Amino acid sequence: MQKNKVNVEPYLYLLPSLFILVSLLLFPLLWNIYVSTHDVSILTILKKWDFVGLKNFYDLFSDPKFYESLKLTLFFVAGSVSAQFGIGLLLAVLLNQQIKGTHVLRTLLIIPWSVSTVITAFSFKFMYDDNFGIVNYVLESIGLDAVGWLSDPNIAIWSIVLANIWYGTPFTILFLTAGLHSINPHLYEAAIIDGATKIKRFFFITIPLLRQFIITNLILITVWSINFFDLQLIMTGGGPLFSTTTTSLYMYREAFEFGSFSGGATIGIFLIVMNLLLTFVYVKIFNRKTSDQNEK
């Protein structure tokens, strides 16, 4: 009796993808871990790197600026994610109605997502400018005082949050619109026959059937907001007075401005763990709500 031979051909087709995955994800991660456990800076990069173990992590958690950047990151992420999801869900539901012109509006709302972050950052930087920015011009033209959108330490981070909301909300609109199209319209017709109002149809049909799309969208926009530093770097450079230096920007500055590559790698490892923990929390909450709903 001949033994069943394993067909290796399908696995050969996966080799290019596996190579890309290892090259672009696994190797940089392992290299980052290696650098974070050694003393690597612009002064020692051409010398032998000394193994320091967890010293870089100890230094990081002893750094007051790190905690300040973490606090700013929480503000940035909370403001960005809540507004992007709330506005995106509202517009996705509205644009899903059988109203004339929704296709045109949906196309126009995609524009911010198609623009690069660099163009977005420079555009908002010019709009917020204290001297010739259009935002202050409009405020002064209606009799209000000009605002230091990027020069006031108490306001600058929220000005960047607004820019990120404008840039990131179209993704939520597109993502949740795809989810809405997956819902069987007969469910709404049956609910209307039973006398369900629009609010009840939204909370008892739309939201439950969108749950998987919602959790995936929340994970993506949260991770992107945590790792985002383009807007902060271009619009304020982390200032004024460190008021817009989020943890991701602090990582960039630590490595490429201050020359502490091991310090930047250590912050990078922390951000990876932070992303994984938040993803785990989202999934845990999602599974708990799903199980509670099934029990009911």
Side-chain angles (χ1 to χ4, degrees):
M1 177 179 283
Q2 292 182 346
K3 294 183 178 179
N4 294 329
K5 293 184 179 180
V6 178
N7 186 8
V8 298
E9 184 179 357
Y11 299 98
L12 294 176
Y13 294 117
L14 293 175
L15 287 179
S17 299
L18 290 175
F19 175 76
I20 295 174
L21 184 65
V22 172
S23 302
L24 300 181
L25 293 178
L26 184 60
F27 175 74
L29 174 61
L30 296 177
W31 181 254
N32 219 37
I33 295 173
Y34 178 81
V35 174
S36 67
T37 56
H38 290 74
D39 180 18
V40 187
S41 67
I42 194 147
L43 299 177
T44 63
I45 193 169
L46 298 179
K47 301 179 182 179
K48 182 181 178 180
W49 299 349
D50 296 328
F51 177 77
V52 295
L54 298 178
K55 179 180 179 300
N56 290 321
F57 291 92
Y58 175 80
D59 293 340
L60 177 65
F61 293 121
S62 302
D63 184 4
K65 288 187 176 180
F66 166 71
Y67 292 102
E68 180 66 22
S69 72
L70 186 58
K71 183 180 73 172
L72 292 170
T73 299
L74 295 177
F75 287 147
F76 181 78
V77 173
S80 298
V81 171
S82 58
Q84 285 181 23
F85 175 74
I87 298 172
L89 176 60
L90 177 63
L91 291 177
V93 172
L94 292 176
L95 293 175
N96 196 50
Q97 307 300 314
Q98 299 299 326
I99 303 174
K100 187 177 181 180
T102 54
H103 295 290
V104 177
L105 289 174
R106 192 180 292 120
T107 303
L108 293 175
L109 289 172
I110 297 174
I111 293 177
W113 182 250
S114 63
V115 177
S116 70
T117 53
V118 174
I119 295 176
T120 300
F122 276 113
S123 298
F124 274 90
K125 184 177 182 180
F126 292 139
M127 289 168 57
Y128 285 143
D129 190 89
D130 292 343
N131 299 316
F132 54 84
I134 189 172
V135 178
N136 278 336
Y137 173 79
V138 172
L139 291 177
E140 292 176 340
S141 65
I142 60 177
L144 298 177
D145 295 331
V147 178
W149 298 101
L150 299 179
S151 58
D152 188 338
N154 298 318
I155 298 177
I157 186 65
W158 300 112
S159 301
I160 298 177
V161 167
L162 289 175
N164 191 36
I165 292 170
W166 181 87
Y167 176 75
T169 300
F171 172 79
T172 297
I173 297 174
L174 291 174
F175 198 87
L176 296 184
T177 297
L180 290 170
H181 286 169
S182 69
I183 299 176
N184 192 335
H186 295 302
L187 295 174
Y188 292 106
E189 295 173 3
I192 293 173
I193 294 174
D194 291 338
T197 62
K198 287 185 177 181
I199 295 178
K200 288 185 177 180
R201 295 199 299 270
F202 176 76
F203 284 104
F204 292 100
I205 297 178
T206 304
I207 294 298
L209 294 179
L210 271 183
R211 196 180 297 276
Q212 293 183 346
F213 289 89
I214 289 174
I215 189 65
T216 304
N217 177 253
L218 285 174
I219 290 173
L220 289 174
I221 61 178
T222 300
V223 169
W224 289 339
S225 296
I226 291 174
N227 300 329
F228 216 46
F229 73 94
D230 310 53
L231 292 176
Q232 302 94 301
L233 178 64
I234 296 173
M235 293 176 67
T236 62
L241 302 176
F242 204 80
S243 62
T244 59
T245 303
T246 56
T247 307
S248 56
L249 180 58
Y250 191 43
M251 173 188 66
Y252 172 86
R253 297 184 66 186
E254 189 75 12
F256 298 106
E257 290 186 16
F258 306 140
S260 177
F261 300 119
S262 56
T266 304
I267 300 174
I269 297 298
F270 172 82
L271 287 176
I272 291 174
V273 174
M274 185 177 178
N275 287 323
L276 292 175
L277 286 176
L278 286 175
T279 301
F280 175 78
V281 170
Y282 276 132
V283 173
K284 199 73 174 177
I285 294 174
F286 167 73
N287 291 335
R288 180 180 300 175
K289 289 185 177 180
T290 303
S291 61
D292 292 343
Q293 187 179 20
N294 292 335
E295 291 177 0
K296 292 179 181 180

